Amino acid sequence: MRFRLFSFALIVLNCMDYGHCQAGRWRRGKRASYGSNPICKGCLSCSKDNGCIRCQHKLFFFLRREGMRQYGECLHSCPSGYYGLRTPDMNRCSRCRIENCDSCFSRDFCTKCKAGFYSHRGRCFRGCPPGFSALEELMECVEGCEVGQWSEWGTCSRNNKTCGFKWGLETRTRQIVKKPAKDTIPCPTIAESRRCKMAMRHCPGGKPRACHKNLYEHSLTEILVLT
């Protein structure tokens, strides 16, 4: 009786080992059939000619084109110029539709522009729009310094005088309406001056006093000569 039980146990163990080996052979055979083609990495189904046809759940399907040939790949993240679009059917890499965009959040919103372009509200620009300033370290357009209208030109003066000179300077100013988003962004000039011609070259009362003094000195000289 003991011999029969021992024989039965050996048969069961052999069957279990055989089944495990067979399953291992099947899994190795499945991996080998895909492993020979590196573009099949991460695929649920793959074609030797067309690459991946369906990807694992967390990966993105990307259709790569090389000349006249195209084949599918399964990637953890989409390449430059594409964004990951998750759908119930399959995750895909979709192309950014924004010009000069390097990476995007969605089809119509760019998060990083190509070199030499500034990002502004999901678009890419060579230069920032009016009212915005370039933040060079981030290559973004941020709200700049907003100033008001120029005032009228002031009175022409020189050395705080409005007479006594032929030429002077006149100045106009404007106020800062809105400070910039960053302290490193400079504001436009708020004061400027230009050369102007004095309305009165000679100050009132200055020349007559000089004439009276000269007349007095001349008369005194004549009196001294006569005496």
Side-chain angles (χ1 to χ4, degrees), residues 161-177:
K161 294 182 179 180
T162 57
C163 61
F165 302 94
K166 183 178 181 180
W167 299 99
L169 290 175
E170 57 184 2
T171 304
R172 67 176 183 176
T173 60
R174 57 183 175 181
Q175 301 296 321
I176 296 176
V177 178

Side-chain angles (χ1 to χ4, degrees), residues 27-225:
R27 284 194 295 269
R28 286 194 298 271
K30 185 178 180 180
R31 286 196 298 268
S33 64
Y34 288 166
S36 59
N37 194 347
I39 62 174
C40 291
K41 184 178 180 181
C43 303
L44 289 178
S45 57
C46 187
S47 167
K48 181 179 179 181
D49 297 325
N50 299 321
C52 291
I53 301 173
R54 190 172 182 82
C55 298
Q56 296 178 10
H57 178 66
K58 294 182 178 181
L59 301 182
F60 293 94
F61 176 80
F62 175 62
L63 188 62
R64 187 179 297 276
R65 292 178 173 84
E66 292 181 353
M68 299 298 294
R69 182 173 178 261
Q70 62 182 22
Y71 56 90
E73 286 183 305
C74 294
L75 307 174
H76 289 280
S77 60
C78 296
S80 175
Y82 291 80
Y83 69 97
L85 180 64
R86 296 187 180 275
T87 62
D89 180 44
M90 185 170 62
N91 302 328
R92 298 176 180 273
C93 289
S94 184
R95 184 185 292 275
C96 300
R97 299 298 179 183
I98 303 166
E99 191 176 359
N100 301 313
C101 182
D102 190 48
S103 59
C104 54
F105 173 75
S106 63
R107 178 177 179 175
D108 299 316
F109 195 95
C110 186
T111 55
K112 183 182 179 183
C113 298
K114 292 181 179 179
F117 291 87
Y118 295 95
S119 174
H120 176 63
R121 295 179 179 177
R123 298 290 187 272
C124 299
F125 299 88
R126 278 288 187 187
C128 293
F132 293 85
S133 299
L135 201 60
E136 298 294 339
E137 56 268 29
L138 298 178
M139 293 300 290
E140 294 179 354
C141 295
V142 297
E143 290 187 353
C145 182
E146 187 177 345
V147 293
Q149 298 293 324
W150 285 108
S151 66
E152 297 293 332
W153 287 102
T155 305
C156 187
S157 63
R158 181 175 177 181
N159 296 337
N160 295 323
K161 294 182 179 180
T162 57
C163 61
F165 302 94
K166 183 178 181 180
W167 299 99
L169 290 175
E170 57 184 2
T171 304
R172 67 176 183 176
T173 60
R174 57 183 175 181
Q175 301 296 321
I176 296 176
V177 178
K178 186 177 181 181
K179 292 184 177 180
K182 297 286 184 179
D183 295 335
T184 55
I185 299 174
C187 285
T189 179
I190 56 173
E192 63 180 12
S193 300
R194 68 181 181 182
R195 191 184 185 202
C196 57
K197 193 173 183 179
M198 292 281 197
M200 292 186 295
R201 184 171 182 180
H202 302 288
C203 295
K207 189 173 182 179
R209 284 197 298 269
C211 293
H212 291 162
K213 182 179 179 181
N214 292 336
L215 181 60
Y216 171 77
E217 291 177 350
H218 180 69
S219 300
L220 182 61
T221 302
E222 287 181 349
I223 293 171
L224 291 175
V225 170

